[in-house]
Amino acid sequence: MSRLRSLIVLLACSFGAAQAAPFAYVPNEKSGSVSVIDTATGAAVRQIAAGKRPRGIAADPAGSRLYVTDAAGSALLVLDAASGATLATIPLGSSPEGVNASRDGRWVAVAVEDSNSVALVDAAARKLVADIPVQGKNPEHAVFSPDGRWLLVSAENAEQVDVIDVAARRQAGSIAVGLRPRGIGFAPDGTRAYVACELAGAVYVLDIDKRRSIATIPAGKNPAGIVVSPDGKTVFVSNGADGSVMRIDAARNAVDATIAVGKRPWNMALTPDGSRLYVANGRSDSVSVIDTAAGSKTGDIAVGQLPWGVVIR
């Protein structure tokens, strides 16, 4: 009997270890799917159906729910990460793009291009509770501050990021940056934010309390995606036209490594420990994996067509 109990415990531990490794979820805009990558093995293990034109992706804190925008269906899809089942379809305005979940899992924000607004969704109720107009035209990303108080919104036709007061559900101001802001990433303490400005060829560093840019870091051609390391010491920016990712030392606001990846690298995500960066290569139909400490690419993983981004849970 004791041997049987030991076997059960061993199997339970083995199952727990197998489930512990985070998964990378990659929306493929042209394939209508989300590729699931096991970060422990580096293999794409399955595909999840996700509307006709999935773009932005986010996950709840537990990693049990995925939020995917379907640009063709003008909707936010709520997916069960384990089974791939669609749990809800939430109607939005035309051409939703970037999606972000608040750290506490209460809210989901979606940048909606054609209505020049940000949709605020109650995650528990799976219900749209506000559609907040912004000044920037064709908004692409709406990203929560770590404390959930603010949303920073980038737009294709803008030279500022708009600031939304989440509680008041209205725009509370804006911060001037370079032309065509794209990816946004917050420092862990929320005091700084980093914005990739595509047509300015630079990353702008923002002081959130003072609502102004305090530094400009030259990047490559057409910078697009931004990710900040868990300790806030490193920032990564993807350069869409250069096929590269730059590593930035946040203390010096200076690039200290440039890593070649696939064609049109777009949005990215870090593993929870910050050791590996996963980069969606839109024109290579692949995800590049970067060793962040070494500043080098370790491999490429084939996914669907036109991968738009990555979330890891």
Side-chain angles (χ1 to χ4, degrees):
M1 192 68 172
S2 60
R3 292 178 63 186
L4 178 59
R5 281 198 298 268
S6 298
L7 179 59
I8 291 171
V9 170
L10 179 61
L11 289 172
C13 291
S14 298
F15 180 78
Q19 294 296 103
F23 290 89
Y25 300 91
V26 182
N28 304 300
E29 187 173 356
K30 196 171 180 180
S31 298
S33 66
V34 172
S35 295
V36 183
I37 297 170
D38 184 339
T39 63
T41 64
V45 293
R46 61 193 176 101
Q47 302 289 326
I48 298 173
K52 294 182 179 179
R53 193 180 167 199
R55 282 175 162 180
I57 190 166
D60 69 347
S64 61
R65 301 287 182 266
L66 301 175
Y67 303 102
V68 181
T69 53
D70 180 8
S74 299
L76 178 68
L77 308 178
V78 184
L79 308 178
D80 184 285
S83 69
T86 300
L87 302 175
T89 300
I90 303 169
L92 301 173
S94 176
S95 192
E97 198 155 355
V99 57
N100 190 242
S102 60
R103 185 172 288 185
D104 62 6
R106 183 180 179 187
W107 303 110
V108 178
V110 183
V112 185
E113 285 190 297
D114 290 351
S115 61
N116 298 317
S117 66
V118 173
L120 188 65
V121 173
D122 182 315
R126 299 173 187 168
K127 180 181 178 181
L128 177 68
V129 296
D131 192 50
I132 306 165
V134 291
Q135 293 175 355
K137 305 303 180 186
N138 299 325
E140 181 170 345
H141 292 283
V143 179
F144 286 98
S145 58
D147 62 6
R149 183 179 179 186
W150 309 108
L151 277 164
L152 289 191
V153 186
S154 63
E156 291 185 30
N157 298 325
E159 289 184 81
Q160 83 279 344
V161 290
D162 295 325
V163 182
I164 289 177
D165 182 321
V166 176
R169 298 178 184 176
R170 62 176 177 82
Q171 182 169 337
S174 61
I175 304 171
V177 294
L179 187 60
R180 190 172 285 180
R182 294 279 200 180
I184 300 169
F186 275 93
D189 63 5
T191 60
R192 299 283 185 271
Y194 300 85
V195 182
C197 294
E198 186 174 28
L199 298 186
V203 173
Y204 283 68
V205 185
L206 309 185
D207 183 308
I208 298 303
D209 288 338
K210 295 179 180 178
R211 290 194 186 172
R212 64 182 181 90
S213 173
I214 56 174
T216 304
I217 306 166
K221 189 173 181 181
N222 293 6
I226 286 280
V227 174
V228 182
S229 65
D231 62 9
K233 294 181 179 179
T234 310
V235 180
F236 296 90
V237 57
S238 62
N239 299 303
D242 287 349
S244 70
V245 169
M246 287 176 168
R247 186 180 67 187
I248 296 169
D249 181 332
R252 298 186 298 114
N253 287 330
V255 174
D256 63 14
T258 300
I259 306 118
V261 289
K263 296 177 182 178
R264 207 208 76 171
W266 207 241
N267 298 299
M268 310 174 286
L270 283 161
T271 52
D273 63 3
S275 65
R276 283 169 291 162
L277 179 70
Y278 286 67
V279 185
N281 300 311
R283 298 298 179 190
S284 294
D285 299 338
S286 68
V287 169
S288 292
V289 184
I290 290 173
D291 181 319
T292 58
S296 61
K297 186 179 78 169
T298 61
D300 293 300
I301 302 167
V303 291
Q305 291 181 287
L306 209 61
W308 196 92
V310 189
V311 68
I312 298 176
R313 285 291 187 277

